[in-house]
C-alpha cells in the first residue's frame, strides 16, 4: 500500500509540475485525472506480483534519458506526451480488454485520453517553436522502443495474466519515474519567467 501511495504522490507531482510550468492551458482537473489514473492502475491488480516472479523482465525504461538533465523543454514535453500516448495505446486494445476489469480499464483509458488532450495543446505550442522532428528522434524514440519491447514481451508470453501484471507494474514505475523531468520543466519555466 505504501508503494501505491508513493506512486500516487509521484503522479500528482508530475501533473502539478505540468500544470504550473509549461505556460499552456492544461485543464484544472489535470492533477486529479493523473492521480486517478495511477490509482486505477493500482486497483487493476489481479494477481500478487509474487506469483509472477518468473515472468519479471527489465524493459530498459530510458530512465536516465527521462530523468537526466540533457533534455530541452520541447524534448521533455514530447517525451511525456509519448509516454502517455503509448500507455493509452497499450491499454486500449482488445487483448487488454480481455485481461482487465473493463470498468477500470475504460476509466483508465478515459483519464489517459484527457491527459493527452491537455498535453496536445502544450506539444502543439512547443512544436511550432521548435523542430517538428523532435517526436522522431532521441529521447522520444527511446520511449517508443521501450514500448515496442513491452508489446514483444506480451506477445512472447501469450498475453498471460502474469505478463499483464508485470506490464501493469512497469507502467506504474515508468509514469512515476518521470517526476524529475517534470521538476526540470517547472524549473526551466521559472527561469524563463524570472526578471
Amino acid at each position: 500500500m505504501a508503494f501505491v501511495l508513493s506512486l500516487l504522490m509521484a503522479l500528482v507531482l508530475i501533473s502539478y509540475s505540468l500544470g504550473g510550468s509549461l505556460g499552456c492551458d492544461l485543464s484544472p482537473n489535470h492533477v486529479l485525472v493523473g492521480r486517478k489514473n495511477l490509482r486505477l492502475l493500482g486497483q487493476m491488480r489481479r494477481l500478487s506480483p509474487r506469483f509472477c516472479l518468473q515472468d519479471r523482465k527489465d524493459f530498459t525504461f530510458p530512465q536516465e534519458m527521462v530523468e537526466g538533465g540533457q533534455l530541452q523543454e520541447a524534448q521533455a514535453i514530447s517525451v511525456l506526451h509519448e509516454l502517455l500516448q503509448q500507455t493509452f495505446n497499450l491499454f486500449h486494445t482488445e487483448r487488454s480488454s480481455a485481461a482487465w476489469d473493463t470498468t477500470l480499464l475504460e476509466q483508465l483509458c478515459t483519464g489517459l485520453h484527457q491527459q493527452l488532450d491537455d498535453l496536445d495543446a502544450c506539444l502543439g505550442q512547443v512544436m511550432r517553436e521548435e523542430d517538428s522532428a523532435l517526436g522522431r528522434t532521441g529521447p522520444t524514440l527511446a520511449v517508443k522502443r521501450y514500448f515496442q519491447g513491452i508489446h514483444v514481451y506480451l506477445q512472447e508470453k501469450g498475453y498471460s495474466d502474469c505478463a499483464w501484471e508485470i506490464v501493469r507494474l512497469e507502467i506504474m514505475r515508468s509514469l512515476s519515474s518521470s517526476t524529475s523531468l517534470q521538476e526540470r520543466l517547472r524549473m526551466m519555466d521559472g527561469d524563463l519567467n524570472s526578471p
Side-chain angles (χ1 to χ4, degrees):
M1 186 65 175
F3 177 71
V4 172
L5 289 175
S6 66
L7 288 174
L8 283 172
M9 290 307 297
L11 192 59
V12 169
L13 289 173
I14 290 169
S15 299
Y16 175 76
S17 296
L18 274 176
S21 68
L22 300 177
C24 56
D25 298 325
L26 290 178
S27 161
N29 293 324
H30 191 81
V31 173
L32 296 174
V33 172
R35 188 182 317 161
K36 182 178 179 184
N37 286 343
L38 199 51
R39 187 173 56 244
L40 288 166
L41 277 168
Q43 291 172 353
M44 287 169 66
R45 177 180 160 182
R46 292 182 17 183
L47 298 170
S48 170
R50 285 191 309 240
F51 294 124
C52 301
L53 292 177
Q54 74 281 2
D55 290 310
R56 284 184 306 176
K57 178 175 173 68
D58 180 5
F59 293 101
T60 60
F61 178 67
Q63 191 163 349
E64 284 183 24
M65 205 170 282
V66 171
E67 293 180 356
Q70 71 272 19
L71 293 181
Q72 299 299 314
E73 184 178 24
Q75 289 175 315
I77 293 167
S78 179
V79 164
L80 294 170
H81 186 275
E82 190 65 32
L83 186 62
L84 287 172
Q85 183 66 60
Q86 292 290 337
T87 300
F88 176 83
N89 293 348
L90 180 67
F91 286 105
H92 195 255
T93 63
E94 189 174 318
R95 292 200 187 262
S96 181
S97 295
W100 304 110
D101 175 284
T102 53
T103 302
L104 294 173
L105 185 61
E106 287 172 10
Q107 290 174 6
L108 175 66
C109 288
T110 299
L112 288 167
H113 192 268
Q114 245 180 306
Q115 286 188 297
L116 282 166
D117 283 347
D118 287 345
L119 270 180
D120 279 340
C122 298
L123 189 61
Q125 288 175 10
V126 172
M127 293 304 254
R128 280 190 295 274
E129 298 167 7
E130 300 286 336
D131 180 9
S132 62
L134 281 174
R136 298 184 304 272
T137 60
T140 304
L141 188 56
V143 171
K144 288 178 183 180
R145 284 189 198 123
Y146 164 72
F147 276 93
Q148 285 173 346
I150 289 174
H151 285 283
V152 167
Y153 167 79
L154 284 168
Q155 263 183 329
E156 289 173 350
K157 293 292 185 174
Y159 300 91
S160 70
D161 289 344
C162 270
W164 276 112
E165 179 60 22
I166 296 298
V167 166
R168 182 191 67 82
L169 290 169
E170 179 67 19
I171 296 303
M172 289 179 76
R173 185 177 74 85
S174 67
L175 289 176
S176 67
S177 289
S178 59
T179 302
S180 64
L181 177 59
Q182 302 298 322
E183 287 299 317
R184 274 194 63 252
L185 280 172
R186 195 184 61 156
M187 290 183 341
M188 288 168 74
D189 191 55
D191 290 343
L192 293 173
N193 292 330
S194 58

